Amino acid sequence: MAIVFFVHLHWVTTGFDMDFLDRQIKIPLSNRTIPVKYALVHTAYWVLITGFFLYEKRYLIYKAGLPYFVACVVIRVALLIGIAYLNLHYLLPRYLLTGRYLRYVSLVLLSIVGYLLIQAFYDYLIYGFIIAPTQSRNWLETLSYNFFSTLWYLGLMVPLKLSIDWYEQQRLLQKIAVEKLQAEVNFLRSQVNPHFLFNILNNLYALTLKKSDLAPDMVLKLSEMMEYMLYDSNDTRVPLEREINYLQNYIELEKLRCGDYSDIALHIQGSPNGQEIAPLLLLPLVENAFKHGIGKQAEKSWLHGTLTLKPTAVDITIENNKPTTLPKNAKGGIGLTNLRKRLELLYPGRYTLQTEDRLNTYKAALHISFAES
C-alpha cells in the first residue's frame, strides 16, 4: 500500500502546479506548517483507511444502529491517527532515526497498549451491552485483532513517510544537480569570452599599427560578434544559424589579420533547418587552430574546415598545419578542454570530439546529435 501512495505522490507532484503543491499550510491548533502535497497524500491515506473501517463495521448499522456505527468508526480512526502521528513526528525522529531502537520499540508498543485500552472499553460497551443478545466476543481474540491491526496500520505510515522523504530528497538532489550544471556551464562560458576577446583585440591592435583600411570592417564585424556574445550567448539554446554566422565572422576577422599568404576556408554543407544549439560550441575548434597553428607561422599556413548540417545533427571538422616545433614558452590554451567539459554537461552521450595531432598538421572533428536517444 505504501507503494500505491508513493505512486499517488508522484502523480500529484507531476500532474499539478508545483508552486501550489509546495505552498505551506498551517496545521489547526498548532504552529507547524506542512506542504499542500503532504496534506493531500495523508488525507488520501486516511480516507482509504476510513473507507475500510466503514466497510468492515457496516453490520453495526443493523445490529446497533447508525449512531453507534459512526461512533465506532470515528473512534477507531481518530485513535489510529493520534498514535500514527505521535510515531511519525515524535517517536520516529527522536528515537528510531537517532539509533535508540529499544526505546523506540518500547514507546510504540506502549502507545498501542493505550489504544487497546480505549478501544477495548468501547468494544466492551458495544458488544457487551448494546448487541450482547446477538453477539458474543472472545476477549483474547478481540485484543489480538486490535493489536495486530493497529500495528499493521501504524507500520504502513512509516514506509509512507520514508517514501515521501526519499522522493523529496531525490527532487532536492535533482534540483541541486541542475543548478550545479548551470553554474558550471556559466563558468565555462565566462572562460570562453575573455579568451576570445584577448585574441581579437590583439588582431585589431596589429591592424591599427599598420594603419590598415581593413580596421573599420574588422570593428564592424567585432561589434556584431559582441552583440551575439553579450546577449544571445546567455541563452541555453540559440538558433544554429546565428552560431554559424558568429563562426563565419570570426574566420573573416582572422583572414583580415593573416592576409593573403594564408589559405583559410570553411565549407558549409546543408541547411540549419531551424535547429538550435548551445552557444559558443563551434568556435573553440577554429580558435584553437588559429592560436596554436596558423598564428604560430609566418607564412604558408592553411586552415581547411567543413561544416555539415543534418536534420538532427551537426558535424564540423577543422584541419590546419602547424610548426614542427613549438617555442619552449608556448602556453597551452583552455579552448578544447573547456569545450569537452561543456559538451559533457550539455550533450552527454550525444557527442564525439576527436583530435589528431600529427607532426605537421592538427585535426579536430566534432559531432553533436540534437536528437535525444
Side-chain angles (χ1 to χ4, degrees), residues 261-262 290 292-302 320-324 360:
Y261 61 84
S262 296
F290 278 108
H292 301 289
I294 294 181
K296 300 295 183 181
Q297 301 180 92
E299 57 184 10
K300 296 181 181 180
S301 59
W302 56 266
N320 61 277
N321 65 338
K322 64 185 183 72
T324 304
N360 296 314

Side-chain angles (χ1 to χ4, degrees), residues 22-27 32-37 39-40:
D22 288 332
R23 187 178 303 167
Q24 298 288 320
I25 58 175
K26 187 177 180 181
I27 302 176
R32 293 184 66 249
T33 60
I34 57 173
V36 171
K37 60 190 174 190
L40 289 176

Side-chain angles (χ1 to χ4, degrees), residues 75 86 130 137 192 211 221 259 267 272 275 305 310 330 355 357:
I75 289 175
L86 173 67
I130 298 173
R137 300 290 288 183
V192 170
K211 300 187 183 332
K221 290 184 180 298
H267 301 284
Q275 290 286 358
K310 303 175 183 178
T355 59
D357 192 358

Side-chain angles (χ1 to χ4, degrees), residues 5 8 12 38-50 160:
F5 286 107
H8 172 75
V12 167
Y38 182 92
L40 289 176
V41 172
H42 282 254
T43 299
Y45 177 81
W46 290 112
V47 166
L48 287 179
I49 296 299
T50 303
L160 175 61

Side-chain angles (χ1 to χ4, degrees), residues 181-197:
L181 183 145
Q182 188 59 47
E184 289 187 28
V185 169
N186 290 338
F187 173 71
L188 292 173
R189 185 187 296 151
S190 71
Q191 286 185 311
V192 170
N193 296 350
H195 189 191
F196 165 76
L197 286 175

Side-chain angles (χ1 to χ4, degrees), residues 139-197:
W139 288 108
L140 183 61
E141 178 184 344
T142 300
L143 288 174
S144 176
Y145 167 80
N146 285 334
F147 176 81
F148 286 107
S149 64
T150 305
L151 192 62
W152 169 254
Y153 292 121
L154 189 63
L156 285 178
M157 291 297 294
V158 175
L160 175 61
K161 175 178 173 55
L162 295 179
S163 296
I164 295 174
D165 290 347
W166 177 85
Y167 181 76
E168 288 300 316
Q169 185 181 42
Q170 293 303 307
R171 281 190 58 215
L172 180 61
L173 290 176
Q174 184 179 25
K175 182 179 179 182
I176 293 173
V178 170
E179 291 177 351
K180 179 176 181 291
L181 183 145
Q182 188 59 47
E184 289 187 28
V185 169
N186 290 338
F187 173 71
L188 292 173
R189 185 187 296 151
S190 71
Q191 286 185 311
V192 170
N193 296 350
H195 189 191
F196 165 76
L197 286 175

Side-chain angles (χ1 to χ4, degrees), residues 111-139:
S111 66
I112 294 176
V113 169
Y115 166 83
L116 292 178
L117 291 175
I118 299 174
Q119 189 60 50
F121 174 79
Y122 190 77
D123 285 346
Y124 179 75
L125 175 66
I126 290 287
Y127 301 113
F129 292 95
I130 298 173
I131 58 174
T134 57
Q135 180 79 19
S136 61
R137 300 290 288 183
N138 183 310
W139 288 108

Side-chain angles (χ1 to χ4, degrees), residues 47-73:
V47 166
L48 287 179
I49 296 299
T50 303
F52 172 78
F53 279 123
L54 289 172
Y55 179 80
E56 184 190 34
K57 301 297 181 182
R58 67 189 185 282
Y59 65 87
L60 288 178
I61 299 176
Y62 309 104
K63 295 183 178 296
L66 184 61
Y68 288 104
F69 164 73
V70 173
C72 178
V73 173

